[in-house]
Amino acid sequence: GGDNVGRARALTMLGQAEEALSLLRGLGTGDPEVEAARREARLQLGQDGSREEALLQELREESVREIKESLEAMAPLVGSDFSPEMLHSPQGLTQVLARIFGYNHFRPGQLEVILPLMQGKSVLGLMPTGAGKSLCYQIPAALLPGATVVISPLIALMKDQVEGLPPHLFHRATVINSALEPGEADRRLAAVTRGEFSLIYAAPERLRQRSFVEALKRRGVSLFVIDEAHCVSMWGHDFRPDYFFIRDALKELGSPTVLALTATATPDMQDDIGQQLGVPLARVNLGTFRPNLSFTVRRCAGEQEKWSAIVSLLREEKGPAIIYVDRRKKAEEIATQLEAAGIPAAAYHAGLEKNARDLAQSRFMLGETRVIAATVAFGMGVDKADVRLVIHQSLPRCLESYYQEAGRAGRDGLPARCVMLYTSYDKSTLTNRLNRDRMQADEILGIHRALSRLLARGEAGVRAEELEQACGTDSTRVRVGISLLQRLGALRRGYDLPGSIWLAPTTAGSNGHATPELRRLLQGGGRSGQGGNGRQAVTLSGQEASRLSGIPLAQLEETLLKWDQAGLIRFRCGARLMGLQLASNGTDVTQEVKRALAQIQEQDNRRADLLRRFLDNGECRQAFVGRYFGMEAATGCGVCDNCTRTTGTVGVTRRDDERAHDLTSDAESALFERLRAWRRETARAEGVPAYVIFHDRVLYAIAKERPRSLAALVEVGGVGRAKVDRFGDEIISLVREDG
């Protein structure tokens, strides 16, 4: 029956509601999915009169029913007394937090984000690194009937986050990105449409693939999460062109509730995020202040003094460290010098082979390499909780970049240091670096001219490689240039178009049910072997398929998907083209590009001046950053170099004193070290970062409370039942070793 229901819904979408009703006639009544498919077909035929409002009411009731069914399934975890009304109460959500995620209390600001989301209100969450933003969508994902979609540019972080989920959510979560083989991506998309996943992580470029958006539409999306939301704003420091299409995707998905998350957005950028998404966003601003971080800026006479400072800092601080540099060669030099000095280190930059990058990151995450010297390529996808030191050997591009990069220290909430080293030469050449990195008018106008030539052939799609070759530049700069032209109204970019397709007829498609367009495709396309049931599969280019079928290329994939859903074919899209169209609105592209670049240059100059003021200013470092991001700090942080210089106190230079505050005896310290060694070996065996097993703060709590039974262990904050089931016996054994 399930296949027939899917075919009936697809036939209804194809305008063949009578055939859909005929297919459903043999199915029994009482099945909610069958009845919903019947309602859709009847509504299209007008048999239900003007019952749109009644249908909407039925759909609302169905949503409530799905929530109740979800809660019934979770009853062993959250308790049988849990009701839908408790989804909107702090008490109910705290119960979910404790029972499923193993935490007794929310961190500051988390409830303020989650409560409106559960009520269907969209939110912009401004949360500093380490504030626990992932929990703000993981709890709704565990409770809401539709899917929670998380759009993130961070492939490495997606995998880490899924591996760190509690079992109840782990089995209902998936990742869909370019790291998957095409066949595996197709299998996961099919599982999405069947409703097998409630939490779906995806890269933003997936939204331009109609097959992905159609799968989400069939699944139903309750919450749409945009991680690193500052990437939406072209005036931000880290604009990502693929975020430009999110607004269109939201409309296609029926305008679900939105959660936009970022740690770095000025007030103007916050306004721009809402405008670019086309969604009114309630703001929950937790500020930028992180009391566990001490910021220090140190002026050096030259590169040799920088090197001496790096070695000295690493001798003082024994924990994991990141050293940021501005050049690939410098990363390799520092890593080599540190190794020679007896400090385990590795280099990381975009010029390394992928296997070498993956190995360097993996060894650092697992604690096998203590220090990583990296360009900004070692960035947002790295979520190592116990980094104790971040050193900037080179100046960052701007204050936003610095706060984000320095913020990778101390994500476990324990004290950590952020040190920026600079020379007078670094300071004077900052503007030159920004000018060198920024796209120039000739580049963008060259992209526009190349597109004009390529699109003059009458085709709606352009191969990215062909455009890069025509422009003589790399893919990143081409995408940024296209996005700027979009924003100026000189260009429109929609869904990616099929560059090549593979399709095979089903029994239904071969027995006279195929449309004339489909028959022309099957009869005129090139053959490529068996497609199942002994029938010949067809492989051909998108342009050839468009010509044979008479279907415009811009509508081809949508039509093929409908045929697939109707059970007429099996379809797969291969290479893709950018779906582009030049605007014919009389815009003077040259003048508009120059005007926009002048604005960007002015913005860059302001950022460079701000970073210079940060270097020389004598006020609290955290207060300076907070004010830039729209938060007023009444008092200083008390631990940055400026605060300690003013008060005459000694800054936080050693972490051991802070740790001793938590562990007050040698026995507690010894147990903590045993737990850390056990965690390291467990993480290595499972191939995951150590924090996925337990954060340091949880190990501290275990060492402090010394639980000697599973019942006592489950009460330790951050452990929870799921972790007790997996690791409880081993931990209790370690605790009891002391007798």
Side-chain angles (χ1 to χ4, degrees), residues 32-320:
E33 290 194 5
V34 173
E35 294 303 318
R38 282 199 180 102
R39 286 197 301 272
E40 292 168 6
R42 288 171 180 160
L43 188 63
Q44 187 182 98
L45 291 172
Q47 293 181 9
D48 285 357
S50 300
R51 289 193 56 207
E52 287 88 347
E53 182 57 37
L55 180 59
L56 286 173
Q57 180 59 33
E58 290 176 4
L59 291 174
R60 284 192 288 268
E61 292 172 357
E62 184 176 339
S63 178
V64 172
R65 175 182 59 78
E66 289 176 348
I67 291 175
K68 288 182 177 178
E69 289 178 354
S70 177
L71 292 177
E72 288 173 3
M74 290 194 299
L77 292 171
V78 299
S80 57
D81 59 336
F82 199 88
S83 65
E85 293 74 23
M86 296 176 72
L87 298 178
H88 300 153
S89 72
Q91 296 80 7
L93 292 172
T94 302
Q95 185 172 330
V96 172
L97 177 73
R99 297 293 180 86
I100 297 180
F101 292 87
Y103 299 106
N104 296 323
H105 305 286
F106 283 101
R107 294 189 194 178
Q110 288 179 326
L111 259 182
E112 287 84 343
V113 172
I114 297 171
L115 275 171
L117 294 177
M118 297 304 297
Q119 297 164 2
K121 299 174 184 175
S122 295
V123 173
L124 171 60
L126 298 142
M127 307 177 73
T129 304
K133 62 181 179 179
S134 60
L135 193 72
C136 293
Y137 55 79
Q138 289 171 359
I139 283 186
L143 299 172
L144 294 172
T148 292
V149 179
V150 182
I151 297 299
S152 171
L154 320 173
I155 291 177
L157 187 55
M158 294 181 201
K159 180 175 179 290
D160 290 347
Q161 288 204 354
V162 170
E163 289 173 342
L165 291 170
H168 172 76
L169 203 49
F170 175 82
H171 298 296
R172 296 164 54 199
T174 191
V175 173
I176 300 177
N177 57 37
S178 58
L180 300 176
E181 295 295 327
E184 178 60 22
D186 290 340
R187 284 189 288 274
R188 295 190 187 188
L189 272 185
V192 167
T193 63
R194 293 192 299 268
E196 295 178 14
F197 296 119
S198 298
L199 181 57
I200 303 161
Y201 291 86
E205 61 268 20
R206 284 281 157 176
L207 295 173
R208 290 194 185 273
Q209 298 183 13
R210 190 175 287 277
S211 56
F212 178 69
V213 174
E214 287 295 326
L216 296 181
K217 285 168 68 175
R218 293 180 68 189
R219 170 64 176 92
V221 176
S222 292
L223 179 62
F224 192 97
V225 183
I226 305 160
D227 201 8
E228 310 297 344
H230 57 274
C231 297
V232 172
S233 175
M234 195 171 70
W235 312 116
H237 68 289
D238 198 23
F239 170 63
R240 302 294 176 100
D242 289 315
Y243 274 67
F244 206 81
F245 195 63
I246 289 177
R247 180 174 186 153
D248 300 271
L250 288 172
K251 292 178 182 177
E252 285 276 338
L253 295 172
S255 301
T257 303
V258 171
L259 171 59
L261 291 165
T262 181
T264 50
T266 64
D268 288 344
M269 204 185 304
Q270 294 167 31
D271 293 337
D272 194 41
I273 290 170
Q275 291 171 8
Q276 294 308 312
L277 295 176
V279 176
L281 298 169
R283 298 183 192 179
V284 178
N285 194 340
L286 302 188
T288 60
F289 180 59
R290 292 179 60 192
N292 65 313
L293 298 187
S294 66
F295 288 85
T296 298
V297 176
R298 185 180 300 180
R299 180 168 179 166
C300 301
E303 294 299 307
Q304 184 57 46
E305 188 174 334
K306 280 187 181 182
W307 167 249
S308 298
I310 288 171
V311 173
S312 176
L313 288 164
L314 290 172
R315 300 289 188 208
E316 292 175 11
E317 179 53 71
K318 304 299 184 184

Side-chain angles (χ1 to χ4, degrees), residues 235 431 434-435 438 594-610:
W235 312 116
T431 301
L434 294 174
N435 290 338
R438 187 171 53 249
K594 289 180 177 178
R595 180 185 59 80
L597 289 179
Q599 286 182 302
I600 295 173
Q601 181 175 359
E602 183 181 353
Q603 175 103 320
D604 284 346
N605 290 339
R606 286 200 300 268
R607 286 187 171 130
D609 289 341
L610 184 78

Side-chain angles (χ1 to χ4, degrees), residues 257-530:
T257 303
V258 171
L259 171 59
L261 291 165
T262 181
T264 50
T266 64
D268 288 344
M269 204 185 304
Q270 294 167 31
D271 293 337
D272 194 41
I273 290 170
Q275 291 171 8
Q276 294 308 312
L277 295 176
V279 176
L281 298 169
R283 298 183 192 179
V284 178
N285 194 340
L286 302 188
T288 60
F289 180 59
R290 292 179 60 192
N292 65 313
L293 298 187
S294 66
F295 288 85
T296 298
V297 176
R298 185 180 300 180
R299 180 168 179 166
C300 301
E303 294 299 307
Q304 184 57 46
E305 188 174 334
K306 280 187 181 182
W307 167 249
S308 298
I310 288 171
V311 173
S312 176
L313 288 164
L314 290 172
R315 300 289 188 208
E316 292 175 11
E317 179 53 71
K318 304 299 184 184
I322 303 172
I323 303 172
Y324 279 109
V325 298
D326 61 351
R327 289 179 290 120
R328 298 173 179 180
K329 183 178 179 182
K330 178 63 70 175
E332 294 178 1
E333 288 175 353
I334 288 179
T336 301
Q337 289 173 316
L338 289 175
E339 283 282 326
I343 300 173
Y348 187 105
H349 57 74
L352 294 173
E353 293 291 331
K354 183 179 183 301
N355 289 342
R357 289 200 311 273
D358 290 347
L359 179 62
Q361 178 171 328
S362 175
R363 289 178 61 83
F364 180 68
M365 298 295 282
L366 293 172
E368 296 171 358
T369 298
R370 184 185 152 209
V371 182
I372 197 151
T375 63
V376 294
F378 189 77
M380 293 184 292
V382 180
D383 190 15
K384 184 172 173 63
D386 61 344
V387 173
R388 302 268 67 86
L389 176 65
V390 172
I391 302 172
H392 276 77
Q393 192 271 352
S394 307
L395 287 181
R397 292 178 59 249
C398 58
L399 198 60
E400 292 102 318
S401 297
Y402 177 63
Y403 181 71
Q404 193 164 65
E405 291 156 13
R408 288 165 195 147
R411 292 190 177 195
D412 54 8
L414 298 172
R417 303 172 72 183
C418 311
V419 181
M420 191 190 303
L421 307 174
Y422 78 100
T423 66
S424 58
Y425 177 79
D426 294 331
K427 188 177 173 183
S428 64
T429 59
L430 181 59
T431 301
N432 292 337
R433 280 178 52 202
L434 294 174
N435 290 338
R436 186 176 63 247
D437 293 342
R438 187 171 53 249
M439 290 193 74
Q440 303 302 309
D442 287 348
E443 285 183 276
I444 298 170
L445 293 173
I447 292 170
H448 188 264
R449 286 192 298 270
L451 283 172
S452 298
R453 292 194 302 271
L454 295 172
L455 294 174
R457 302 176 303 192
E459 298 172 359
V462 174
R463 285 193 305 112
E465 298 82 4
E466 187 177 16
L467 182 56
E468 291 162 26
Q469 186 175 11
C471 298
T473 189
D474 61 67
S475 61
T476 299
R477 295 180 84 83
V478 166
R479 291 199 305 272
V480 171
I482 286 174
S483 296
L484 178 60
L485 291 168
Q486 278 184 272
R487 181 138 184 175
L488 297 177
L491 180 70
R492 286 190 292 273
R493 183 180 177 190
Y495 281 106
D496 288 344
L497 306 177
S500 64
I501 64 169
W502 174 95
L503 60 91
T506 62
T507 302
S510 300
N511 290 342
H513 296 291
T515 65
E517 295 88 350
L518 177 55
R519 283 197 293 273
R520 289 198 295 270
L521 269 182
L522 295 172
Q523 292 166 5
R527 307 299 173 187
S528 64
Q530 299 300 313

